[in-house]
Amino acid sequence: MVFAGGVDGAVPMRQILTPRFAVQVVRSRWFMVFACLLIMAAAGATYIFSIYSKDIKKELGYNQQTLNTLSFFKDVGTNVGILSGLINEVTPPWVVLAIGAAMNLFGYIMIYLAITGRIAAPQVWMMCLYICIGANSQAFANTGALVTCVKNFPESRGTVLGLLKGFLGLSGVIFTQLYLAIYGDDSKSLVLLIAWLPAAISIVFVYTVRIIPYTSSVAARNTKPFFWFLYISIALAVFLLIMTIVQKVVQFSHSAYVLSAFISTIFLFLPLGVVIKEEVKTLIQRNKELERPPTITIETPHTAPSSLSKASPLPKPVKNPSSKGISCITNMFKPPTMGDDYSILQALVSVDMLILVFVSICGLGGTLTAIDNMGQIGQSLRYPAKSINTFVSLISIWNYAGRVTSGYVSEIVLSKYKFPRPLALTLVLLLSCVGHLLIAFGIPQSLYLASVIIGFCFGAQWPLLFAIISEVFGLKYYSTLYNFGSVASPIGLYILNVRVTGHLYDVEARKQNAGKDLTCIGVQCFKMSFIIITAVTALGAMVSLLLVWRTRKFYGGDIYAKFRESAPREMTLESVNMEKIEKNGVDEKQKEPGSENKG
């Protein structure tokens, strides 16, 4: 019996159904990607805060202001992941994942115990601490899984970021399907599910996610599986969208919820079939190589600069201990060539990073403000409750679509046409301005289109932001710089949502209601605030053009060439002998009499 492994050959089934092949699969580069997909699919619990927030408000007796404070600390925990980045700089990824799992379990289990009355009602600051710790586990999962994947596939970083961020965007809808199937319509138990499931997945794959040495072989640079992963994720997103809409229209039984969750789980594990297929191809290739001359790996040694050669005198010892700190400060303002590995300080003070942070504050802050207020926007424009729920679903699915589209498409146009990623970010910001204007002027039935545009643009900004950081500042300290880029989101949200939108909404509500009711109805409720957000986003788009100009030469070249040049090359003995023959032929030609005078 044989197993067809492709058009080029077949593998005996006895070679596949063995512990050795199972170990090969588990230790493979593609199984590591599969593990990261599952980790990211379970790391988006913060996106469904609205489902269980009503239980926190009811059981603990909070008012809306206190609940908003809790939500703010949730966002801080989600986006401020610098600690996880610093830890990942000095430890392997499994340490970061293990810490994140412990934080997730502790933070959410304490919230679950509080809202179910199993412990005394905590003080507000304690609840803020619990949800901040639980939400910060998402940053640890991002750092441990996503950053490791980018380092393992440096020539496909846009694709990797788009795919993994896409699964993160779907995680909220996935959690909803699972908790309805396991616990029924019990939103308190959803918090329990959030506590144990992400922690369990991280622990199961804690040793699978690791740095795998990059080589320039064809197998290592194969990107076809990424497209299979994309097709599977699209099918999953479409299925979840259909289920979300149908469940709001049709009354589902518990068995129907179980079936929906089961199908979602099948979609989540379909990438494992792609992994096995790739390893079967590897096994076929290995069997073929046994019939050929043996393979050797030639690694080009990294030659030391001539100034540090043996003939050069050794540098004199530093007499002043403080000179090291002075040198560090001096080098901070002397960055390397764009694309090389910046130090953390060099990156943080660079003009390019400051531009990126400012642009992200404008872009992410505006789209996230629209997302957080979509319910009130629909209410003020007199949309029915079912339509408002549809807006939320559309945002979630198009958030996913924006992430995978910007990741995959930007990678394709960059490699084929040298289209710079900063310019793609500019286009996304300009598109989001259209969505903001639709909200500002309240065009009839335009909120459906606005929710699609806002969701897409919010998702599309993340892979572009993180890919630009990795390309411009290098991968050496990417763990920390990746998390520093996330800080822009809560800053923009606080300025544009709390200080601008919230304030102007309350002012308009007081004009309409002389009493304490601060509910505002009409286009004017959000008109001025979203005109301001449109102007701020347009400013961010204009400033991003400065980054496009500064990086034009960098993106005009081959930005991944250094990875191919520095990676070990796999060559057969036959190819090595051919190189020797060619070299000897050139040497003999140079030794011919009068060859110097020819030509």
Side-chain angles (χ1 to χ4, degrees), residues 150-416:
V150 170
K151 290 185 177 182
N152 286 340
F153 295 91
E155 293 189 59
S156 304
R157 62 190 71 182
T159 302
V160 170
L161 286 165
L163 182 67
L164 294 180
K165 280 291 184 181
F167 270 84
L168 180 64
L170 290 176
S171 61
V173 192
I174 294 171
F175 262 116
T176 302
Q177 298 299 317
L178 292 178
Y179 106 86
L180 289 173
I182 298 174
Y183 299 110
D185 194 13
D186 179 10
S187 53
K188 292 181 183 178
S189 297
L190 172 61
V191 182
L192 180 61
L193 180 67
I194 293 171
W196 69 264
L197 184 58
I201 292 176
S202 293
I203 293 300
V204 167
F205 296 112
V206 73
Y207 288 117
T208 302
V209 180
R210 67 201 187 282
I211 298 295
I212 299 176
Y214 182 75
T215 65
S216 60
S217 65
V218 175
R221 296 173 60 191
N222 177 26
T223 60
K224 289 183 179 179
F226 282 124
F227 286 92
W228 284 111
F229 294 152
L230 172 64
Y231 303 147
I232 293 171
S233 70
I234 291 174
L236 174 61
V238 171
F239 172 77
L240 292 173
L241 175 61
I242 294 173
M243 286 297 100
T244 301
I245 295 175
V246 171
Q247 287 168 5
K248 293 183 185 302
V249 178
V250 180
Q251 186 68 31
F252 265 42
S253 64
H254 184 260
S255 300
Y257 282 125
V258 171
L259 179 61
S260 175
F262 178 72
I263 296 175
S264 300
T265 305
I266 290 177
F267 276 117
L268 287 173
F269 279 87
L270 276 181
L272 184 57
V274 179
V275 174
I276 295 175
K277 180 181 178 182
E278 289 302 313
E279 291 312 306
V280 169
K281 290 181 179 179
T282 302
L283 193 58
I284 292 174
Q285 186 65 27
R286 191 175 299 167
N287 289 341
K288 288 182 178 180
E289 289 176 354
L290 292 176
E291 304 172 1
R292 298 175 181 175
T295 303
I296 63 173
T297 300
I298 299 178
E299 296 189 7
T300 305
H302 296 284
T303 57
S306 58
S307 59
L308 298 178
S309 62
K310 294 182 179 179
S312 302
L314 294 174
K316 296 181 179 180
V318 180
K319 296 182 180 180
N320 186 1
S322 63
S323 61
K324 185 176 181 180
I326 297 174
S327 176
C328 180
I329 296 175
T330 304
N331 291 334
M332 181 171 66
F333 298 100
K334 295 180 180 179
T337 305
M338 187 174 292
D340 290 342
D341 293 321
Y342 282 55
S343 70
I344 296 175
L345 291 178
Q346 285 174 337
L348 295 185
V349 301
S350 70
V351 175
D352 299 318
M353 180 62 83
L354 295 177
I355 293 174
L356 267 177
V357 171
F358 178 80
V359 170
S360 300
I361 288 174
C362 298
L364 292 172
T367 51
L368 196 54
T369 297
I371 292 172
D372 281 2
N373 290 279
M374 191 58 66
Q376 287 181 295
I377 293 171
Q379 183 185 34
S380 67
L381 296 177
R382 296 184 175 88
Y383 283 85
K386 285 187 177 181
S387 296
I388 295 175
N389 292 333
T390 303
F391 299 150
V392 176
S393 300
L394 288 173
I395 287 175
S396 178
I397 299 301
W398 285 97
N399 177 18
Y400 153 81
R403 295 175 187 228
V404 296
T405 301
S406 69
Y408 277 77
V409 174
S410 69
E411 192 68 42
I412 293 172
V413 297
L414 172 63
S415 59
K416 288 187 176 182

